[in-house]
């Protein structure tokens, strides 16, 4: 989307509208690079452009973790945060033309570094390939929680930081999904261990039918 600003034309005393160029959302920029919403945020976090912070959820009743532009990035003119006034809508960030150029210059190095970190660990590399294969076998996209649970089931020794690298989810979200899974397993085991309740059965005696009448 094109952003504009108004400046005062001192020769005429009129306000003049000046274009600030094409600003794009983080997700849209990621799409131009061929990566998804989580992957682009993981890469920009690696570059130090995004940071995780707690914000009010869409419902307004709780707080959720989102990766937003850092204050330093905003001050440098690399982008800005948007908080829609309409109730029930999500806040989002946009990257300025300067921000897009800044990322372009560092993109290849960031992607190569992250790929090298994954390849350097046999377990991480195997886990990523296993998850990619499982994703391809499904008809619908997996949620971050489903991916974290899959990795936890198949690779119980995998570190949470490695799950972040593989899934692109933030550390806070990976920790939340791991803990939720653990709580669900504990609850299921506790339910399974409960003794079965004894139900009293009433024996039907056909000879008593006349007495009921």
């Amino acid at each position: 989307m094109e952003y504009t600003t108004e400046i005062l034309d001192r020769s005429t005393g009129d306000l003049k509208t000046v274009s600030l160029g094409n600003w794009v959302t983080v997700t849209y920029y990621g799409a131009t690079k061929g990566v998804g919403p989580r992957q682009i945020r993981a890469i920009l976090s690696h570059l130090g452009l995004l940071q995780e912070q707690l914000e009010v959820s869409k419902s307004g009743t709780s707080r959720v973790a989102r990766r937003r532009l850092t204050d330093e990035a905003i001050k440098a003119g690399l982008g800005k945060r948007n908080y829609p006034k309409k109730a029930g809508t999500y806040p989002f960030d946009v990257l300025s033309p300067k921000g897009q150029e800044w990322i372009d210059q560092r993109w290849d190095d960031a992607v190569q570094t992250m790929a090298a970190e994954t390849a350097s660990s046999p377990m991480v590399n195997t886990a990523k390939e296993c998850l990619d294969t499982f994703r391809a076998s499904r008809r619908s996209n997996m949620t971050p929680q489903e991916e974290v649970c899959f990795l936890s089931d198949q690779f119980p020794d995998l570190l949470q930081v490695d799950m972040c690298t593989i899934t692109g989810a933030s550390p806070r979200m990976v920790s939340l999904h791991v803990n939720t899974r653990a709580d669900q397993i504990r609850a299921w085991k506790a339910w399974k261990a409960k003794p079965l309740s004894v139900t009293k059965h009433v024996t039907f005696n056909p000879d008593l039918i006349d007495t009921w009448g």
Side-chain angles (χ1 to χ4, degrees):
M1 65 184 76
E2 183 181 14
Y3 275 56
T4 61
T5 188
E6 291 185 333
I7 61 174
L8 178 64
D9 187 339
R10 296 185 181 277
S11 62
T12 63
D14 296 329
L15 288 175
K16 184 178 180 181
T17 300
V18 177
S19 174
L20 297 177
N22 186 38
W23 295 53
V24 299
T25 65
V26 172
T27 299
Y28 180 86
Y29 179 82
T32 66
K33 294 292 189 180
V35 298
R38 276 183 281 156
Q39 286 70 32
I40 182 60
R41 283 165 175 78
I43 294 170
L44 297 190
S45 295
H46 175 82
L47 287 171
L49 200 64
L50 301 184
Q51 66 180 7
E52 190 175 64
Q53 68 179 53
L54 290 175
E55 293 184 334
V56 177
S57 66
K58 184 177 179 181
S59 64
T61 59
S62 61
R63 304 187 75 190
V64 297
R66 294 191 179 97
R67 283 181 282 193
R68 307 299 304 274
L69 284 168
T70 64
D71 292 337
E72 293 74 17
I74 296 172
K75 291 177 182 178
L78 303 182
K80 66 181 297 185
R81 298 179 182 178
N82 284 303
Y83 294 91
K85 296 180 180 179
K86 185 178 179 181
T89 54
Y90 293 99
F92 63 96
D93 295 339
V94 289
L95 301 170
S96 67
K98 180 181 178 181
Q100 296 168 55
E101 182 180 0
W102 186 91
I103 301 169
D104 287 341
Q105 294 172 353
R106 296 160 176 81
W107 181 265
D108 289 341
D109 286 341
V111 172
Q112 290 172 9
T113 299
M114 294 176 70
E117 290 174 353
T118 300
S120 64
S121 171
M123 179 184 292
V124 175
N125 194 38
T126 300
K128 183 180 184 305
E129 291 178 353
C130 187
L131 178 59
D132 289 342
T133 300
F134 187 70
R135 280 198 198 109
S137 68
R138 290 170 57 92
R139 294 183 179 180
S140 59
N141 294 330
M142 295 177 68
T143 65
Q145 183 174 10
E146 289 173 335
E147 292 182 353
V148 170
C149 288
F150 174 84
L151 292 173
S152 297
D153 290 337
Q154 301 297 320
F155 303 90
D157 295 329
L158 193 65
L159 299 177
Q160 291 189 22
V161 65
D162 294 329
M163 293 184 188
C164 295
T165 300
I166 295 170
T167 65
S170 68
R172 191 185 298 271
M173 293 307 297
V174 168
S175 177
L176 172 64
H177 297 325
V178 168
N179 291 333
T180 298
R181 172 182 174 273
D183 290 341
Q184 291 173 342
I185 291 175
R186 280 193 294 268
W188 178 80
K189 287 182 177 179
W191 175 83
K192 186 179 179 182
K194 284 183 178 181
L196 295 175
S197 58
V198 178
T199 304
K200 293 183 178 180
H201 297 279
V202 178
T203 303
F204 175 71
N205 189 346
D207 296 333
L208 297 177
I209 294 179
D210 293 338
T211 62
W212 294 347

